Amino acid sequence: MREGVQSEAQQTQAGGTLMSITLTQSPLKETKTRGNVTVTVYSSTSIKEAKWLKGAKSAKEVFASGTAIAGSSFEITENGMYSVGVRDNDGRREVETIEIKNIDRTPPSPVTALTLGYSSASKTLTANWHNPTDSDFAGLVLSWKKEGGNATEVPLSKETESHAIENIDADGSKYIVSVKAKDDAGNESAATETSMTPVVLAAAEITNVSPSRTHLDSEETDRNITVTVTGNNFDALTSLLVQVMDGSSSPVSASIDKAHNKASAAVIAPRRFFPPAA
């Protein structure tokens, strides 16, 4: 199937002979490409000489300073308007234009906020990131390797913002992970890279639970209590719940400060009512 016809230029000489030029392009105008575009020239009469020149030019300008076309096609390396002039065996000349708009050599923006996490229980190294917002963003390529080893590339869809790498032992080796974004034309962004040495974390241990208040009168309206939890190896925690022991309140998620082995949560003490004395 031929595509990319812009229009037909026609010229009538004495005797009524019709001359028309048709220009087509490959890849098609709807297909983005990071390569060149080939323009092919067709004429309803013979082609003795053909030239092309960038811009919307007259036949006189094209033949005066244009580039000769060998065969019936030529390559375009950048977007723009191009004029093609044709002279046939009878000396007739005509010019036609074609606009090229599908060359794209601009890479997409890179992914951001690439982080790695490791689970010793499942031996899984997990990468997380944020994708670019470019309109032509089309997919990703994740690459990972053990330091000193060969890289493994994983193509990913544009909806993906995490990837789990399985069967990773915490043997003291460093793992390097990079992610590139790709666009519709196949351009790749700069690689966003990070690394991690997986380790087996010791189990978290709670050594002290300290409430900001230890006694409340049943008449007090302010029932808020801040609970501070301290211990060891809090970097192994994924969550911590704090609950009033009488069971009348729901658990509250604590804010964990892993660097200082500390967590805190705000709870509300229940109000108790006692029957009057007989």
Side-chain angles (χ1 to χ4, degrees):
M1 177 183 293
R2 298 200 179 278
E3 182 62 27
V5 176
Q6 307 300 305
S7 65
E8 290 190 350
Q10 297 178 336
Q11 176 176 306
T12 304
Q13 294 276 330
T17 303
L18 187 69
M19 180 183 184
S20 64
I21 301 172
T22 300
L23 306 178
T24 67
Q25 69 173 82
S26 177
L28 306 182
K29 61 184 179 181
E30 297 83 6
T31 303
K32 293 286 187 180
T33 179
R34 56 193 176 116
N36 298 335
V37 169
T38 299
V39 175
T40 302
V41 184
Y42 300 91
S43 175
S44 61
T45 62
S46 58
I47 299 179
K48 181 177 182 180
E49 180 185 15
K51 290 186 175 182
W52 67 271
L53 186 62
K54 188 173 183 180
K57 306 293 183 180
S58 66
K60 181 179 179 180
E61 291 173 311
V62 173
F63 282 102
S65 56
T67 300
I69 300 173
S72 60
S73 63
F74 62 100
E75 284 196 339
I76 297 298
T77 60
E78 59 182 15
N79 292 325
M81 184 73 73
Y82 292 85
S83 299
V84 177
V86 173
R87 177 186 288 111
D88 68 9
N89 289 330
D90 294 325
R92 288 169 293 193
R93 300 193 312 177
E94 190 53 82
V95 68
E96 185 55 273
T97 61
I98 185 170
E99 186 175 12
I100 304 300
K101 299 189 291 184
N102 60 322
I103 297 175
D104 178 7
R105 296 192 178 98
T106 303
S109 302
V111 305
T112 57
L114 175 62
T115 59
L116 297 178
Y118 180 68
S119 169
S120 56
S122 61
K123 294 185 178 182
T124 301
L125 183 67
T126 302
N128 293 278
W129 63 87
H130 297 314
N131 285 331
T133 58
D134 301 53
S135 60
D136 59 349
F137 168 57
L140 303 144
V141 177
L142 179 143
S143 175
W144 68 271
K145 70 175 181 178
K146 187 175 183 178
E147 190 172 38
N150 296 322
T152 298
E153 287 196 346
V154 184
L156 299 170
S157 67
K158 67 178 183 179
E159 293 80 16
T160 306
E161 288 193 317
S162 67
H163 181 72
I165 306 167
E166 300 177 337
N167 299 316
I168 302 298
D169 291 317
D171 58 4
S173 300
K174 182 166 75 172
Y175 285 82
I176 303 162
V177 177
S178 68
V179 181
K180 295 179 183 178
K182 297 182 68 174
D183 64 15
D184 289 330
N187 297 300
E188 290 187 347
S189 72
T192 300
E193 183 177 291
T194 190
S195 62
M196 181 183 192
T197 301
V199 296
V200 178
L201 297 176
E205 176 188 19
I206 295 174
T207 58
N208 186 60
V209 178
S210 176
S212 61
R213 305 162 73 184
T214 58
H215 176 76
L216 280 81
D217 187 278
S218 61
E219 298 301 321
E220 291 186 67
T221 57
D222 181 4
R223 316 297 294 179
N224 295 301
I225 301 174
T226 298
V227 179
T228 301
V229 182
T230 56
N232 300 308
N233 305 317
F234 274 26
D235 51 356
L237 287 175
T238 56
S239 66
L240 179 65
L241 300 177
V242 177
Q243 183 177 19
V244 178
M245 288 299 293
D246 72 348
S248 63
S249 302
S250 300
V252 175
S253 293
S255 175
I256 304 172
D257 180 357
K258 295 185 178 183
H260 298 93
N261 290 312
K262 183 170 67 174
S264 62
V267 298
I268 300 176
R271 185 188 299 273
R272 291 185 178 181
F273 294 94
F274 298 95

PDB file of all heavy atoms in Angstrom, residues 210-230:
ATOM      1  N   SER A 210       6.185   3.381  76.160  1.00  0.00           N
ATOM      2  CA  SER A 210       6.032   4.496  77.093  1.00  0.00           C
ATOM      3  C   SER A 210       4.878   5.396  76.668  1.00  0.00           C
ATOM      4  O   SER A 210       4.975   6.107  75.665  1.00  0.00           O
ATOM      5  CB  SER A 210       7.335   5.305  77.146  1.00  0.00           C
ATOM      6  OG  SER A 210       7.186   6.431  77.966  1.00  0.00           O
ATOM      7  N   PRO A 211       3.749   5.413  77.436  1.00  0.00           N
ATOM      8  CA  PRO A 211       2.642   6.330  77.136  1.00  0.00           C
ATOM      9  C   PRO A 211       2.911   7.704  77.734  1.00  0.00           C
ATOM     10  O   PRO A 211       3.591   7.843  78.753  1.00  0.00           O
ATOM     11  CB  PRO A 211       1.449   5.662  77.812  1.00  0.00           C
ATOM     12  CG  PRO A 211       2.042   4.909  78.955  1.00  0.00           C
ATOM     13  CD  PRO A 211       3.410   4.468  78.509  1.00  0.00           C
ATOM     14  N   SER A 212       2.393   8.729  77.075  1.00  0.00           N
ATOM     15  CA  SER A 212       2.584  10.087  77.585  1.00  0.00           C
ATOM     16  C   SER A 212       1.760  10.355  78.839  1.00  0.00           C
ATOM     17  O   SER A 212       2.069  11.261  79.614  1.00  0.00           O
ATOM     18  CB  SER A 212       2.213  11.114  76.501  1.00  0.00           C
ATOM     19  OG  SER A 212       0.850  10.969  76.124  1.00  0.00           O
ATOM     20  N   ARG A 213       0.739   9.551  79.048  1.00  0.00           N
ATOM     21  CA  ARG A 213      -0.103   9.677  80.234  1.00  0.00           C
ATOM     22  C   ARG A 213      -0.416   8.273  80.743  1.00  0.00           C
ATOM     23  O   ARG A 213      -0.750   7.377  79.970  1.00  0.00           O
ATOM     24  CB  ARG A 213      -1.398  10.423  79.904  1.00  0.00           C
ATOM     25  CG  ARG A 213      -1.167  11.781  79.280  1.00  0.00           C
ATOM     26  CD  ARG A 213      -2.394  12.307  78.564  1.00  0.00           C
ATOM     27  NE  ARG A 213      -3.425  12.737  79.482  1.00  0.00           N
ATOM     28  CZ  ARG A 213      -4.629  13.171  79.085  1.00  0.00           C
ATOM     29  NH1 ARG A 213      -4.918  13.188  77.778  1.00  0.00           N
ATOM     30  NH2 ARG A 213      -5.526  13.570  79.962  1.00  0.00           N
ATOM     31  N   THR A 214      -0.338   8.109  82.060  1.00  0.00           N
ATOM     32  CA  THR A 214      -0.587   6.778  82.640  1.00  0.00           C
ATOM     33  C   THR A 214      -1.878   6.710  83.434  1.00  0.00           C
ATOM     34  O   THR A 214      -2.309   5.633  83.835  1.00  0.00           O
ATOM     35  CB  THR A 214       0.575   6.380  83.554  1.00  0.00           C
ATOM     36  OG1 THR A 214       0.724   7.363  84.587  1.00  0.00           O
ATOM     37  CG2 THR A 214       1.875   6.257  82.758  1.00  0.00           C
ATOM     38  N   HIS A 215      -2.508   7.860  83.660  1.00  0.00           N
ATOM     39  CA  HIS A 215      -3.752   7.868  84.427  1.00  0.00           C
ATOM     40  C   HIS A 215      -4.658   8.963  83.913  1.00  0.00           C
ATOM     41  O   HIS A 215      -4.235  10.101  83.708  1.00  0.00           O
ATOM     42  CB  HIS A 215      -3.468   8.107  85.917  1.00  0.00           C
ATOM     43  CG  HIS A 215      -4.729   8.226  86.735  1.00  0.00           C
ATOM     44  ND1 HIS A 215      -5.492   7.140  87.070  1.00  0.00           N
ATOM     45  CD2 HIS A 215      -5.335   9.327  87.264  1.00  0.00           C
ATOM     46  CE1 HIS A 215      -6.538   7.546  87.773  1.00  0.00           C
ATOM     47  NE2 HIS A 215      -6.465   8.865  87.910  1.00  0.00           N
ATOM     48  N   LEU A 216      -5.922   8.620  83.692  1.00  0.00           N
ATOM     49  CA  LEU A 216      -6.928   9.588  83.279  1.00  0.00           C
ATOM     50  C   LEU A 216      -8.148   9.445  84.166  1.00  0.00           C
ATOM     51  O   LEU A 216      -8.608   8.323  84.429  1.00  0.00           O
ATOM     52  CB  LEU A 216      -7.356   9.383  81.818  1.00  0.00           C
ATOM     53  CG  LEU A 216      -6.435   9.934  80.725  1.00  0.00           C
ATOM     54  CD1 LEU A 216      -5.282   8.975  80.464  1.00  0.00           C
ATOM     55  CD2 LEU A 216      -7.226  10.175  79.452  1.00  0.00           C
ATOM     56  N   ASP A 217      -8.665  10.571  84.615  1.00  0.00           N
ATOM     57  CA  ASP A 217      -9.904  10.564  85.379  1.00  0.00           C
ATOM     58  C   ASP A 217     -11.067  10.322  84.419  1.00  0.00           C
ATOM     59  O   ASP A 217     -11.042  10.742  83.274  1.00  0.00           O
ATOM     60  CB  ASP A 217     -10.066  11.918  86.088  1.00  0.00           C
ATOM     61  CG  ASP A 217     -11.253  11.910  87.047  1.00  0.00           C
ATOM     62  OD1 ASP A 217     -12.380  12.114  86.557  1.00  0.00           O
ATOM     63  OD2 ASP A 217     -11.028  11.671  88.248  1.00  0.00           O
ATOM     64  N   SER A 218     -12.076   9.666  84.876  1.00  0.00           N
ATOM     65  CA  SER A 218     -13.217   9.350  84.009  1.00  0.00           C
ATOM     66  C   SER A 218     -13.942  10.597  83.528  1.00  0.00           C
ATOM     67  O   SER A 218     -14.673  10.559  82.542  1.00  0.00           O
ATOM     68  CB  SER A 218     -14.202   8.435  84.753  1.00  0.00           C
ATOM     69  OG  SER A 218     -14.707   9.085  85.916  1.00  0.00           O
ATOM     70  N   GLU A 219     -13.725  11.745  84.205  1.00  0.00           N
ATOM     71  CA  GLU A 219     -14.395  12.977  83.806  1.00  0.00           C
ATOM     72  C   GLU A 219     -13.588  13.781  82.781  1.00  0.00           C
ATOM     73  O   GLU A 219     -14.100  14.737  82.199  1.00  0.00           O
ATOM     74  CB  GLU A 219     -14.646  13.849  85.044  1.00  0.00           C
ATOM     75  CG  GLU A 219     -15.548  13.210  86.087  1.00  0.00           C
ATOM     76  CD  GLU A 219     -16.919  12.864  85.518  1.00  0.00           C
ATOM     77  OE1 GLU A 219     -17.447  13.680  84.717  1.00  0.00           O
ATOM     78  OE2 GLU A 219     -17.441  11.792  85.837  1.00  0.00           O
ATOM     79  N   GLU A 220     -12.326  13.455  82.569  1.00  0.00           N
ATOM     80  CA  GLU A 220     -11.498  14.227  81.638  1.00  0.00           C
ATOM     81  C   GLU A 220     -11.984  14.047  80.202  1.00  0.00           C
ATOM     82  O   GLU A 220     -12.240  12.928  79.752  1.00  0.00           O
ATOM     83  CB  GLU A 220     -10.031  13.800  81.756  1.00  0.00           C
ATOM     84  CG  GLU A 220      -9.375  14.196  83.063  1.00  0.00           C
ATOM     85  CD  GLU A 220      -7.895  13.886  83.062  1.00  0.00           C
ATOM     86  OE1 GLU A 220      -7.162  14.539  82.286  1.00  0.00           O
ATOM     87  OE2 GLU A 220      -7.479  12.991  83.820  1.00  0.00           O
ATOM     88  N   THR A 221     -12.089  15.162  79.491  1.00  0.00           N
ATOM     89  CA  THR A 221     -12.550  15.097  78.097  1.00  0.00           C
ATOM     90  C   THR A 221     -11.412  14.828  77.121  1.00  0.00           C
ATOM     91  O   THR A 221     -11.624  14.285  76.033  1.00  0.00           O
ATOM     92  CB  THR A 221     -13.244  16.416  77.705  1.00  0.00           C
ATOM     93  OG1 THR A 221     -12.342  17.498  77.919  1.00  0.00           O
ATOM     94  CG2 THR A 221     -14.504  16.609  78.544  1.00  0.00           C
ATOM     95  N   ASP A 222     -10.206  15.249  77.468  1.00  0.00           N
ATOM     96  CA  ASP A 222      -9.042  14.992  76.602  1.00  0.00           C
ATOM     97  C   ASP A 222      -8.563  13.565  76.853  1.00  0.00           C
ATOM     98  O   ASP A 222      -7.970  13.258  77.882  1.00  0.00           O
ATOM     99  CB  ASP A 222      -7.930  15.982  76.916  1.00  0.00           C
ATOM    100  CG  ASP A 222      -6.699  15.766  76.027  1.00  0.00           C
ATOM    101  OD1 ASP A 222      -6.762  14.898  75.118  1.00  0.00           O
ATOM    102  OD2 ASP A 222      -5.683  16.460  76.246  1.00  0.00           O
ATOM    103  N   ARG A 223      -8.824  12.668  75.918  1.00  0.00           N
ATOM    104  CA  ARG A 223      -8.490  11.251  76.096  1.00  0.00           C
ATOM    105  C   ARG A 223      -7.292  10.836  75.233  1.00  0.00           C
ATOM    106  O   ARG A 223      -7.006   9.654  75.090  1.00  0.00           O
ATOM    107  CB  ARG A 223      -9.690  10.364  75.718  1.00  0.00           C
ATOM    108  CG  ARG A 223     -11.029  10.837  76.227  1.00  0.00           C
ATOM    109  CD  ARG A 223     -11.107  10.849  77.732  1.00  0.00           C
ATOM    110  NE  ARG A 223     -11.025   9.514  78.306  1.00  0.00           N
ATOM    111  CZ  ARG A 223     -11.050   9.264  79.624  1.00  0.00           C
ATOM    112  NH1 ARG A 223     -11.116  10.278  80.474  1.00  0.00           N
ATOM    113  NH2 ARG A 223     -10.965   8.019  80.072  1.00  0.00           N
ATOM    114  N   ASN A 224      -6.574  11.802  74.653  1.00  0.00           N
ATOM    115  CA  ASN A 224      -5.463  11.499  73.746  1.00  0.00           C
ATOM    116  C   ASN A 224      -4.209  11.099  74.519  1.00  0.00           C
ATOM    117  O   ASN A 224      -3.843  11.734  75.517  1.00  0.00           O
ATOM    118  CB  ASN A 224      -5.139  12.714  72.873  1.00  0.00           C
ATOM    119  CG  ASN A 224      -6.285  13.048  71.944  1.00  0.00           C
ATOM    120  OD1 ASN A 224      -6.683  12.224  71.140  1.00  0.00           O
ATOM    121  ND2 ASN A 224      -6.830  14.250  72.071  1.00  0.00           N
ATOM    122  N   ILE A 225      -3.579  10.043  74.022  1.00  0.00           N
ATOM    123  CA  ILE A 225      -2.330   9.554  74.614  1.00  0.00           C
ATOM    124  C   ILE A 225      -1.343   9.289  73.473  1.00  0.00           C
ATOM    125  O   ILE A 225      -1.691   8.641  72.480  1.00  0.00           O
ATOM    126  CB  ILE A 225      -2.543   8.244  75.409  1.00  0.00           C
ATOM    127  CG1 ILE A 225      -3.554   8.465  76.535  1.00  0.00           C
ATOM    128  CG2 ILE A 225      -1.217   7.733  75.967  1.00  0.00           C
ATOM    129  CD1 ILE A 225      -3.906   7.184  77.260  1.00  0.00           C
ATOM    130  N   THR A 226      -0.119   9.791  73.631  1.00  0.00           N
ATOM    131  CA  THR A 226       0.948   9.483  72.679  1.00  0.00           C
ATOM    132  C   THR A 226       1.775   8.331  73.235  1.00  0.00           C
ATOM    133  O   THR A 226       2.278   8.413  74.356  1.00  0.00           O
ATOM    134  CB  THR A 226       1.848  10.697  72.430  1.00  0.00           C
ATOM    135  OG1 THR A 226       1.073  11.747  71.866  1.00  0.00           O
ATOM    136  CG2 THR A 226       2.977  10.340  71.469  1.00  0.00           C
ATOM    137  N   VAL A 227       1.879   7.269  72.440  1.00  0.00           N
ATOM    138  CA  VAL A 227       2.617   6.086  72.867  1.00  0.00           C
ATOM    139  C   VAL A 227       3.935   6.028  72.099  1.00  0.00           C
ATOM    140  O   VAL A 227       3.939   6.049  70.863  1.00  0.00           O
ATOM    141  CB  VAL A 227       1.812   4.802  72.635  1.00  0.00           C
ATOM    142  CG1 VAL A 227       2.608   3.575  73.073  1.00  0.00           C
ATOM    143  CG2 VAL A 227       0.486   4.870  73.373  1.00  0.00           C
ATOM    144  N   THR A 228       5.047   5.957  72.823  1.00  0.00           N
ATOM    145  CA  THR A 228       6.373   5.855  72.205  1.00  0.00           C
ATOM    146  C   THR A 228       6.911   4.444  72.435  1.00  0.00           C
ATOM    147  O   THR A 228       6.921   3.948  73.565  1.00  0.00           O
ATOM    148  CB  THR A 228       7.342   6.886  72.796  1.00  0.00           C
ATOM    149  OG1 THR A 228       6.812   8.191  72.592  1.00  0.00           O
ATOM    150  CG2 THR A 228       8.712   6.781  72.124  1.00  0.00           C
ATOM    151  N   VAL A 229       7.333   3.815  71.334  1.00  0.00           N
ATOM    152  CA  VAL A 229       7.850   2.450  71.384  1.00  0.00           C
ATOM    153  C   VAL A 229       9.315   2.482  70.972  1.00  0.00           C
ATOM    154  O   VAL A 229       9.657   3.060  69.936  1.00  0.00           O
ATOM    155  CB  VAL A 229       7.062   1.509  70.452  1.00  0.00           C
ATOM    156  CG1 VAL A 229       7.584   0.078  70.539  1.00  0.00           C
ATOM    157  CG2 VAL A 229       5.572   1.557  70.768  1.00  0.00           C
ATOM    158  N   THR A 230      10.199   1.881  71.751  1.00  0.00           N
ATOM    159  CA  THR A 230      11.610   1.804  71.405  1.00  0.00           C
ATOM    160  C   THR A 230      12.069   0.351  71.427  1.00  0.00           C
ATOM    161  O   THR A 230      11.400  -0.523  71.995  1.00  0.00           O
ATOM    162  CB  THR A 230      12.471   2.626  72.386  1.00  0.00           C
ATOM    163  OG1 THR A 230      12.205   2.165  73.731  1.00  0.00           O
ATOM    164  CG2 THR A 230      12.156   4.101  72.297  1.00  0.00           C
TER     165      THR A 230
END
